[in-house]
Amino acid sequence: MANESMRQNWTDGAAGWVANQAVFDAVFAPVTAAILAAAALERGSRVLDVGCGTGTLLAAAVEAGAEPVGVDISEGMAAAARERVPAAAVLVADAQTADLRGDGPAFDRVVSRFGVMFFEDPQAAFANLRRAAAPGARLVFACWRSLDENPMFSLGSGLLADRLDPRPEPSAPGAPGPDAFADPGRLHGLLGGAGWDAIRIDPLDFTCDYGFDGTDGVEERLTQIRAGGVGRLAESQLVPRIGADGWEAVLDEVRRELRGHLVDGVLRFPGAVWLVSAANPAANPA
């Protein structure tokens, strides 16, 4: 598997995503809706969900009468998707190198919600997705814009990162990770180089609303932070150093920071993504 580092990362983080599936689905609901509107899934169409996670888009595809196939690099994610959407086929594979089509017909739609930013060779990955797609098929995905535009990656978790030794270094521009495609010009070039046509990269601004269940959303956000990479690393480093009571005191600091960002009594903050669409213009390359 070419993308071994990301496979390990998502294997380690799968449990947190699975445990917080309802939170992620609620917070990212506007993004999910935008992807589905742009993809216009049709009854009987074949749909490939790249980085399918716990199966949000797979479930929507089944509801639309489509025939979905999910691919994820994490066995934990794939297992959760299979349980949630038994009507979908779910592969554990690296979408940048795997034969995604197999013996089945080509895909009419290729979709992804935050699943395409982690490829070591993104142009090769997009070319591989195109090989699995039918002529005229549509690719639709959402990816994050810059980290500076997205408190999702710093609010609360930044306080924990400051206590790590060493503190994580920022990733290089374009490196695999959440903001790999922050530069729309680079993303356009990668898609065009992979053979996709009619490329559109549109900004989508939305609100990450953690008050979906009637609470202020602080504990929901804190649970997400603790389950993420920074949260897990902080707990493993700090508990031996400062003890369980000290760790609880740090978590209380995080709670105070989050409460400082309540809007009308609820934790809400902006989200900024690219909504991307492209078309497979002709017969697939050999």
Side-chain angles (χ1 to χ4, degrees), residues 110-238:
V110 180
V111 298
S112 181
R113 188 190 72 181
F114 304 135
V116 297
M117 303 94 68
F118 305 98
F119 296 121
E120 290 181 358
D121 187 342
Q123 184 163 308
F126 287 129
N128 194 44
L129 297 180
R130 183 177 172 238
R131 280 190 288 272
R138 190 180 308 165
L139 168 70
V140 179
F141 65 86
C143 60
W144 296 104
R145 292 183 350 228
S146 70
L147 299 186
D148 289 343
E149 295 175 272
N150 284 289
M152 175 65 66
F153 300 103
S154 58
L155 183 58
S157 59
L159 189 152
L160 297 181
D162 288 340
R163 287 166 167 76
L164 294 176
D165 184 18
R167 194 186 195 283
E169 293 290 331
S171 59
D179 62 337
F181 300 143
D183 178 353
R186 174 175 179 265
L187 176 56
H188 194 287
L190 290 169
L191 289 166
W196 293 95
D197 200 359
I199 300 164
R200 289 193 55 166
I201 303 175
D202 296 316
L204 173 65
D205 298 312
F206 70 105
T207 299
C208 299
D209 187 348
Y210 282 80
F212 60 90
D213 61 354
T215 70
D216 64 10
V218 168
E219 292 304 318
E220 287 78 3
R221 172 66 178 167
L222 179 61
T223 300
Q224 276 189 334
I225 292 170
R226 293 186 65 180
V230 169
R232 298 194 312 273
L233 184 57
E235 185 167 6
S236 69
Q237 282 192 13
L238 294 180

Side-chain angles (χ1 to χ4, degrees), residues 220-285:
E220 287 78 3
R221 172 66 178 167
L222 179 61
T223 300
Q224 276 189 334
I225 292 170
R226 293 186 65 180
V230 169
R232 298 194 312 273
L233 184 57
E235 185 167 6
S236 69
Q237 282 192 13
L238 294 180
V239 171
R241 191 190 315 164
I242 63 178
D245 290 344
W247 173 242
E248 287 302 322
V250 170
L251 295 180
D252 282 340
E253 289 184 50
V254 176
R255 290 184 176 96
R256 285 193 291 273
E257 179 181 6
L258 296 177
R259 291 190 184 108
H261 290 79
L262 298 182
V263 177
D264 297 328
V266 175
L267 183 62
R268 298 189 181 101
F269 51 80
V273 305
W274 298 121
L275 182 64
V276 183
S277 63
N280 188 11
N284 287 318

Side-chain angles (χ1 to χ4, degrees), residues 1 7 46-54 58 68-82 85 88-105 107 128-129 132:
M1 187 173 288
R7 184 200 66 79
R46 288 257 295 168
V47 179
L48 176 65
D49 181 5
V50 182
C52 66
T54 60
L58 296 176
V69 175
V71 57
D72 203 281
I73 204 166
S74 163
E75 175 60 53
M77 293 287 207
R82 292 187 192 108
V85 194
V90 182
L91 313 174
V92 179
D94 182 353
Q96 71 181 356
T97 57
D99 178 5
L100 300 168
R101 182 175 164 183
D103 295 330
F107 292 98
N128 194 44
L129 297 180

